[in-house]
Amino acid sequence: MSTRVLTGITTSGTPHLGNYVGAVRPAIAASRAADTESFYFLADLHSLIKAQDPARTQRSTLEIAATWLAAGLEPDKVWFYRQSDIPEISELTWFLTCVAGKGILNRAHAYKAAVDKNVADGEDPDAGVTAGLFMYPVLMAADILLFNAHQVPVGRDQIQHIEMARDFGQRFNHVYGREYFTLPEALIDDHVATLPGLDGRKMSKSYGNTIPLFAPPAELKKLIFSILTDSRAPGEAKDTEGSPLFQLYQAFASAEETADFAQAYAEGIGWGDAKQRLFERVEREVAPLRERYETLIAKPARIEEILRDGAQRLRAKYATPFLGELRDAIGLRDLSSVSTVQAQAAPKASLPVFKQYREADGKFYFKLSDAQGQVLVQSRGFDAPRDAGLRVAAMKEASSADALPAADVELRVPADEVLAALAALREAAAQA
């Protein structure tokens, strides 16, 4: 079975060198790994939370789609689509909204940051906060869960969103009595470069310090030559540590080229010469991409065709059938399938249930309860949701007292009662 990896790209702004090095280039390389099914989508619905300029949203969608294609994304080998072209995402968002806990959403980083700023400014806590900002973790969960992604590449500041997607998926599974959703894992790559911008801070549109990825050569050179440096003169040794020029060069160069550049720093290369070398190295990699980008951007109808084709195929294979299954699960069913005279159905036996949850201490727990709500097993706290999930999986397979993870759980009833409950769960799963 292949691993499904899903990546979303928000359609806000023009792609810059930091986007390319930190997201585009590594993601495209990863998409070529064996046994990987890759999903790449343009998160245009997410962009509406901040960007409410229709022309800019359209232009950004075109630019970002063209960037990924120019950089080597192969739409016939991966799933490449626009979020708004998959209406099942929006419908699933509502399904998840109906099981998502408001308390969890209250703790979302973006919402908390907005509230904290309002309080600090003496404003009403929710001043200027839209329902879109508050609810966007649910939309993000729908993006992931609709395709049962196994892994989602994110930075460490985004781990919370994956944990929330897991929570919403687990709650839905629990409420509707079956594991409809795969619970995703955050894929963290600490080796992905974060590039400095023109002023030495992280390259970011919010700082206005970016270098557009496909700036014409003359503009690219001008921007690189405007990068801040210190006052050390030619002939004076220079430090590579903390040097924006060196970090940018390293992100594009081979190990041998980087070593040569470090040696030039030690020998006192002048800043003008260092910037020229950086410009030449970046231009060497970007020039062929720029040529493909300019060809693509001149044919927006072709990009539209690629995105719509990707969405159409993806809906047919995954989104529409799975959403139909979920609609049936929650009772949104064809009424003609209901007989006007129904025999009294035999009552369905209630089963024990596992519940995973997070407590105020930040740790993750699980418990096994019987059909009447009595707790049979209570776990200790785990630092990560994955660890709790692994213990649940181990317990589900336990067929003897020795197989129960005694160090991680407290049995609230005799072991034979716990084993009987686990056996009932296994039997129900086998008959499903």
Side-chain angles (χ1 to χ4, degrees):
M1 178 179 173
S2 61
T3 299
R4 294 185 185 180
V5 181
L6 181 140
T7 301
I9 312 101
T10 304
T11 55
S12 59
T14 297
H16 53 71
L17 293 183
N19 298 142
Y20 171 69
V21 169
V24 177
R25 189 173 64 183
I28 290 175
S31 73
R32 293 168 182 154
D35 298 324
T36 297
E37 186 176 12
S38 299
F39 296 72
Y40 297 94
F41 69 95
L42 305 177
D44 54 347
L45 296 179
H46 283 291
S47 75
L48 301 179
I49 294 169
K50 293 182 179 179
Q52 295 177 337
D53 178 343
R56 188 70 196 97
T57 297
Q58 181 187 35
R59 181 67 188 179
S60 179
T61 302
L62 175 64
E63 290 176 349
I64 292 174
T67 296
W68 281 78
L69 294 169
L73 193 70
E74 301 173 273
D76 58 331
K77 296 181 180 177
V78 302
W79 297 108
F80 185 50
Y81 57 99
R82 182 170 40 203
Q83 184 186 32
S84 60
D85 286 338
I86 310 288
E88 290 82 2
I89 292 173
S90 298
E91 188 168 357
L92 177 56
T93 298
W94 180 248
F95 295 175
L96 297 176
T97 297
C98 295
V99 298
K102 181 177 180 292
I104 292 176
L105 293 170
N106 287 340
R107 296 192 289 273
H109 295 324
Y111 173 67
K112 283 186 65 179
V115 169
D116 290 345
K117 182 178 184 304
N118 283 336
V119 171
D121 293 342
E123 300 280 352
D124 180 88
D126 286 325
V129 176
T130 66
L133 174 64
F134 185 72
M135 295 297 299
Y136 92 93
V138 187
L139 175 59
M140 185 176 293
D143 293 326
I144 298 166
L145 297 174
L146 182 62
F147 301 113
N148 282 313
H150 299 103
Q151 297 177 342
V152 184
V154 291
R156 292 198 173 276
D157 60 338
Q158 295 285 312
I159 292 176
Q160 183 194 49
H161 294 132
I162 310 307
E163 292 176 348
M164 293 170 88
R166 289 176 59 89
D167 184 272
F168 303 153
Q170 191 275 334
R171 285 171 185 258
F172 187 99
N173 291 346
H174 171 68
V175 169
Y176 293 105
R178 211 179 95 197
E179 294 187 0
Y180 291 96
F181 296 120
T182 297
L183 304 187
E185 298 286 347
L187 185 61
I188 308 296
D189 187 349
D190 289 322
H191 299 293
V192 170
T194 299
L195 293 192
L198 301 175
D199 57 2
R201 293 181 295 174
K202 175 185 174 182
M203 189 177 293
S204 169
K205 291 184 287 290
S206 61
Y207 294 146
N209 65 352
T210 63
I211 301 175
L213 176 57
F214 296 123
E219 182 185 348
L220 176 63
K221 183 173 182 177
K222 181 179 178 180
L223 288 168
I224 287 176
F225 270 71
S226 71
I227 294 172
L228 291 178
T229 53
D230 60 35
S231 60
R232 276 176 279 191
E236 289 186 73
K238 297 168 177 63
D239 295 327
T240 59
E241 176 123 15
S243 167
L245 282 180
F246 189 82
Q247 291 176 52
L248 283 162
Y249 187 90
Q250 187 175 32
F252 286 87
S254 66
E256 184 179 354
E257 290 170 328
T258 300
D260 289 343
F261 200 46
Q263 183 62 34
Y265 262 56
E267 293 172 358
I269 187 174
W271 288 126
D273 290 338
K275 291 176 179 179
Q276 179 64 29
R277 285 179 65 169
L278 172 59
F279 163 70
E280 291 172 356
R281 185 62 192 84
V282 173
E283 176 65 12
R284 188 158 79 246
E285 181 163 337
V286 169
L289 277 61
R290 184 194 297 120
E291 184 177 352
R292 292 197 292 271
Y293 174 83
E294 291 173 348
T295 300
L296 286 160
I297 209 81
K299 299 178 180 179
R302 175 56 185 152
I303 295 177
E304 179 71 17
E305 181 183 343
I306 290 171
L307 291 174
R308 287 191 178 276
D309 176 69
Q312 183 177 12
R313 290 185 293 109
L314 186 57
R315 291 187 68 200
K317 183 169 184 179
Y318 290 130
T320 302
F322 187 40
L323 208 285
E325 184 180 346
L326 297 177
R327 287 175 65 89
D328 183 78
I330 64 178
L332 302 183
R333 300 168 180 166
D334 181 352
L335 298 182
S336 66
S337 65
V338 180
S339 173
T340 56
V341 179
Q342 293 185 345
Q344 182 67 33
K348 191 183 238 182
S350 297
L351 290 169
V353 292
F354 276 101
K355 180 180 180 182
Q356 292 178 246
Y357 56 95
R358 191 177 189 179
E359 285 287 11
D361 62 3
K363 291 186 179 294
F364 297 85
Y365 296 80
F366 67 84
K367 60 185 176 183
L368 174 64
S369 303
D370 65 16
Q372 286 71 47
Q374 180 187 2
V375 177
L376 308 179
V377 176
Q378 174 63 60
S379 79
R380 68 172 178 83
F382 297 91
D383 292 329
R386 182 174 183 274
D387 295 333
L390 289 173
R391 298 308 191 282
V392 170
M395 282 206 64
K396 287 181 177 179
E397 299 301 320
S399 57
S400 69
D402 292 339
L404 295 172
D408 295 327
V409 300
E410 173 193 354
L411 303 187
R412 300 283 182 86
V413 297
D416 58 347
E417 291 187 35
V418 174
L419 294 172
L422 295 173
L425 286 175
R426 286 195 295 273
E427 182 179 353
Q431 294 175 355

